[in-house]
Amino acid sequence: MQTIDLRGVSCPTNFVKAKLALEDLDDGMIAQILLDDGEPVKNVPRSLKADGHKLLGLTQTEEGYYILELKKIEE
Amino acid sequence: MADVKQTKIDLNNLKAGGFIKERGKDLFTVRLRVPGGRMSVPRLKKIAEVAEKFGGEFVHLSVRQSIELININFKDFDAVVEELGEKSQKVASCGARVRVPVACGGCEYNPNGLVDTQKSALEVDEKLFGTPTGHHKFKVAFAGCPFDCPKSSTNDVGFSGAIEPVLDKATCISCGLCVKSCVPKALVMGEDNKPVLTAEKCIWCGDCVKVCPTEAWSVKKKGYTVRIGGKWGRNPLVGTLFATFLPEDKAVEFIAAVLEWYKQKAEGLGRIRLGDTIIKEGPDALLNHLRSQFPDYTVAKTIAPQIIQTQVGMN
Ligand code: SF4
Ligand code: SF4
Ligand code: SF4
């Protein structure tokens, strides 16, 4: 599984970085995206959904950041 | 005599027609209406040409999304109107009339937008623009969602897009994204690990629907939240809630009903804005009037427009 670490990256750069990283994955592959609390965890999942990817789940870590699990969907 | 066709300039109609006197001798500002702030690129080019030919070195974008041509000599009025093509680019109104509606980009390309504010603004512009109120100016604004960037509630009638979400528990995979996305904290995870909605806290923003990966959240109702009686200026008022989930295609009719009440009730009160008329008559008078025509959308009760303390001058 691919991990895309977007902690410390602010909106909308985090979303654009996620898009670029997802370009390297094959259709149907699962990725873990690490997101800060606040704006990033609120905005990035929704934008990735709007791009057509399948969101699978969100978990909060002990350190306070979030792990978004997602399945890459090629249009 | 050669049959020279000369358009007469009706000086009385000038202000109502969007011609505004400037400081300099013979010079006027010509305010062009841009409903909803959207303008086609060819039209923009045409306006630039006219501005270059007859105006000063710049144009001004008004706070209500109009383009204002600066330093137009009144002798050029006819030529300016002619070259802009009067029909397709009417000048914007001033005075005691329904003004050009403003709107945000709405749902077409803005990811937050829930309704088609541009369509609504065009409809209102087409059907109600320039209607004399008999009392004072009358402003309308459309926001695509409850974040209300256009500050709709500081208008005489302000609309903001809204959706009511509904949950299909069976489809929910308990990912928690909606709870995390709901800024007003109207959602919490229940004991069964499915979200629970506290309706009173919901602002109808639709963020839960937009993020939910399985479409467990969907749209039950969609329309406009309508606030009435707002204004800015010397004594600002924030409009209050009169209707919820008003269908988009009823916006024009609804404004017409508000105008009807305003014209009647403000009779004899001079130059008074709608909000002050509501404070004088009590909000129930307007609410009952609206309820008779829009029983499905008016709220059960409301409050008078809210006075903003500006701390300058005697309020
Ligand atoms: S009011 Fe909503 S839809 Fe309109 S610009 Fe603001 S966020 Fe976007
Ligand atoms: S519509 Fe907005 S406020 Fe209401 S539950 Fe959904 S996210 Fe929360
Ligand atoms: S986002 Fe959808 S699937 Fe996830 S918890 Fe909320 S309702 Fe359930």
Side-chain angles (χ1 to χ4, degrees):
Chain A
M1 191 186 323
Q2 175 94 7
T3 300
I4 306 167
D5 189 353
L6 297 174
R7 288 173 297 170
V9 187
S10 56
C11 303
T13 314
N14 45 18
F15 169 59
V16 178
K17 278 197 156 185
K19 267 173 90 79
L20 293 174
L22 287 168
E23 273 183 9
D24 297 337
L25 300 192
D26 292 329
D27 192 21
M29 270 176 76
I30 310 288
Q32 274 195 335
I33 301 177
L34 312 189
L35 295 166
D36 288 323
D37 198 0
E39 289 290 300
V41 71
K42 190 181 172 312
N43 293 333
V44 176
R46 184 174 131 179
S47 302
L48 290 169
K49 183 194 165 191
D51 266 11
H53 301 295
K54 180 100 195 130
L55 309 185
L56 301 174
L58 184 76
T59 38
Q60 186 169 22
T61 62
E62 275 175 21
E63 294 91 326
Y65 66 90
Y66 285 82
I67 303 173
L68 175 73
E69 231 180 67
L70 154 160
K71 186 169 162 188
K72 170 168 177 171
I73 309 287
E74 204 99 50
E75 301 139 80
Chain B
M1 284 290 284
D3 71 325
V4 180
K5 247 185 127 188
Q6 203 164 358
T7 321
K8 281 240 165 62
I9 304 170
D10 183 344
L11 293 167
N12 279 325
N13 279 335
L14 287 183
K15 187 151 190 266
F19 296 87
I20 305 152
K21 179 76 189 80
E22 290 180 7
R23 283 167 190 241
K25 186 172 179 291
D26 293 347
L27 296 181
F28 283 75
T29 289
V30 178
R31 183 183 286 166
L32 304 172
R33 62 208 277 224
V34 188
R38 181 179 294 193
M39 168 164 291
S40 76
V41 176
R43 174 48 61 182
L44 187 60
K45 278 189 183 152
K46 182 80 217 170
I47 289 172
E49 267 171 37
V50 173
E52 202 162 45
K53 194 160 160 193
F54 298 101
E57 288 183 348
F58 52 85
V59 298
H60 179 249
L61 304 180
S62 84
V63 290
R64 285 184 64 85
Q65 302 179 319
S66 294
I67 293 185
E68 294 172 339
L69 306 181
I70 309 299
N71 292 171
I72 303 289
N73 191 297
F74 83 102
K75 290 185 189 115
D76 292 329
F77 281 175
D78 299 349
V80 166
V81 169
E82 171 75 32
E83 292 210 13
L84 286 172
E86 215 181 347
K87 278 212 187 71
S88 49
Q89 181 62 55
K90 281 189 208 144
V91 288
S93 75
C94 312
R97 294 159 188 277
V98 176
R99 302 294 180 84
V100 184
V102 300
C104 69
C107 62
E108 225 177 301
Y109 52 88
N110 186 313
N112 291 322
L114 302 169
V115 291
D116 195 344
T117 55
Q118 289 292 321
K119 188 165 171 240
S120 298
L122 278 182
E123 271 170 21
V124 169
D125 185 63
E126 195 183 299
K127 307 236 168 75
L128 299 174
F129 167 74
T131 310
T133 66
H135 311 292
H136 213 315
K137 57 189 153 194
F138 193 93
K139 296 179 176 178
V140 174
F142 293 95
C145 77
F147 305 153
D148 198 5
C149 303
K151 307 174 197 73
S152 70
S153 59
T154 62
N155 284 254
D156 294 273
V157 187
F159 296 85
S160 50
I163 64 102
E164 186 184 339
V166 62
L167 180 70
D168 173 31
K169 271 196 184 187
T171 328
C172 172
I173 56 169
S174 303
C175 70
L177 274 161
C178 56
V179 175
K180 196 63 215 168
S181 292
C182 179
V183 175
K185 300 202 175 357
L187 297 177
V188 288
M189 269 302 181
E191 288 192 344
D192 57 354
N193 227 4
K194 312 270 170 169
V196 180
L197 173 69
T198 308
E200 298 73 42
K201 286 191 183 173
C202 180
I203 60 167
W204 310 311
C205 67
D207 282 355
C208 48
V209 179
K210 284 180 178 158
V211 79
C212 177
T214 63
E215 321 299 328
W217 282 113
S218 60
V219 175
K220 186 176 162 197
K221 271 198 242 166
K222 185 172 95 153
Y224 281 119
T225 301
V226 191
R227 293 193 177 84
I228 305 183
K231 65 177 181 120
W232 217 243
R234 296 179 192 88
N235 301 299
L237 294 174
V238 171
T240 50
L241 189 66
F242 280 78
T244 53
F245 301 107
L246 182 81
E248 292 171 69
D249 61 4
K250 287 205 167 11
V252 169
E253 226 180 297
F254 192 88
I255 299 168
V258 176
L259 270 171
E260 186 191 5
W261 184 87
Y262 177 40
K263 280 185 187 168
Q264 217 179 61
K265 294 296 174 187
E267 201 68 60
L269 296 178
R271 209 165 158 269
I272 185 171
R273 281 288 282 273
L274 174 63
D276 293 310
T277 314
I278 298 172
I279 291 175
K280 212 165 179 330
E281 295 283 330
D284 286 346
L286 175 57
L287 187 58
N288 289 336
H289 170 77
L290 292 170
R291 190 178 289 125
S292 67
Q293 293 181 47
F294 302 91
D296 297 341
Y297 312 110
T298 36
V299 292
K301 56 181 197 301
T302 191
I303 52 176
Q306 297 293 289
I307 295 167
I308 304 294
Q309 181 52 259
T310 61
Q311 300 176 287
V312 174
M314 295 274 285
N315 252 292

Coordinates of all heavy atoms in Angstrom, one line a residue, chain B residues 167 172-178 189 195 212-214 216-217, ligand 3:
Chain B
L167 N -30.2 10.4 6.0 CA -29.2 9.3 6.1 C -29.9 8.0 5.8 O -31.0 7.7 6.3 CB -28.6 9.3 7.5 CG -27.6 8.1 7.8 CD1 -26.3 8.4 7.1 CD2 -27.3 8.0 9.3
C172 N -24.3 3.1 5.2 CA -23.2 3.8 5.9 C -22.1 2.7 6.3 O -22.4 1.7 6.8 CB -23.7 4.5 7.1 SG -22.5 5.1 8.2
I173 N -20.8 3.1 6.0 CA -19.8 2.1 6.3 C -19.0 2.6 7.6 O -17.9 2.2 7.9 CB -18.8 2.0 5.2 CG1 -18.2 3.3 4.7 CG2 -19.4 1.2 4.0 CD1 -17.0 3.3 3.8
S174 N -19.6 3.6 8.3 CA -19.0 4.1 9.6 C -17.6 4.6 9.5 O -16.8 4.4 10.3 CB -19.1 3.0 10.6 OG -20.4 2.5 10.8
C175 N -17.4 5.3 8.4 CA -16.0 5.8 8.2 C -15.7 7.1 9.0 O -14.6 7.4 9.2 CB -15.8 6.1 6.7 SG -16.7 7.5 6.1
G176 N -16.8 7.8 9.4 CA -16.6 9.0 10.2 C -16.3 10.3 9.5 O -16.1 11.3 10.1
L177 N -16.2 10.2 8.2 CA -15.8 11.4 7.4 C -16.8 12.5 7.6 O -16.5 13.7 7.7 CB -15.7 11.1 5.9 CG -14.3 10.5 5.5 CD1 -14.3 9.8 4.2 CD2 -13.3 11.7 5.5
C178 N -18.1 12.2 7.6 CA -19.2 13.2 7.7 C -19.1 13.9 9.0 O -19.2 15.2 9.1 CB -20.6 12.6 7.5 SG -21.0 11.3 8.6
M189 N -21.0 10.5 16.2 CA -21.2 9.1 16.0 C -22.1 8.5 17.1 O -21.8 8.7 18.3 CB -19.8 8.4 16.0 CG -19.2 8.3 14.6 SD -20.3 7.5 13.5 CE -19.3 7.5 12.0
P195 N -23.7 7.9 12.1 CA -23.9 9.3 12.5 C -25.3 9.6 13.0 O -26.3 9.1 12.5 CB -23.5 10.1 11.3 CG -23.7 9.2 10.1 CD -23.4 7.8 10.7
C212 N -19.5 12.1 1.9 CA -19.8 10.7 2.2 C -19.4 9.8 1.0 O -19.9 9.9 -0.1 CB -21.3 10.5 2.5 SG -21.8 8.8 2.7
P213 N -18.6 8.8 1.2 CA -18.1 7.9 0.1 C -19.1 7.0 -0.4 O -18.9 6.4 -1.5 CB -16.9 7.2 0.8 CG -17.1 7.2 2.2 CD -17.9 8.5 2.5
T214 N -20.2 6.7 0.3 CA -21.1 5.6 -0.1 C -22.5 6.2 -0.5 O -23.4 5.4 -0.7 CB -21.3 4.6 1.0 OG1 -21.9 5.3 2.1 CG2 -20.0 3.9 1.4
A216 N -24.5 7.4 1.6 CA -25.4 7.1 2.6 C -26.2 8.4 3.0 O -27.4 8.4 3.3 CB -24.7 6.6 3.9
W217 N -25.5 9.5 2.9 CA -26.2 10.8 3.0 C -26.7 11.3 1.7 O -25.9 11.2 0.7 CB -25.2 11.9 3.6 CG -24.9 11.9 5.0 CD1 -23.8 11.6 5.6 CD2 -25.9 12.2 6.1 NE1 -23.9 11.7 7.0 CE2 -25.2 12.0 7.3 CE3 -27.2 12.6 6.1 CZ2 -25.7 12.2 8.5 CZ3 -27.8 12.8 7.4 CH2 -27.1 12.6 8.6
Ligands
SF4_3 S1 -19.5 9.7 5.6 FE1 -21.1 8.3 5.0 S2 -20.3 6.3 5.2 FE2 -19.0 7.7 6.4 S3 -19.9 7.6 8.5 FE3 -20.8 9.3 7.4 S4 -22.7 8.5 6.6 FE4 -21.4 6.8 7.1

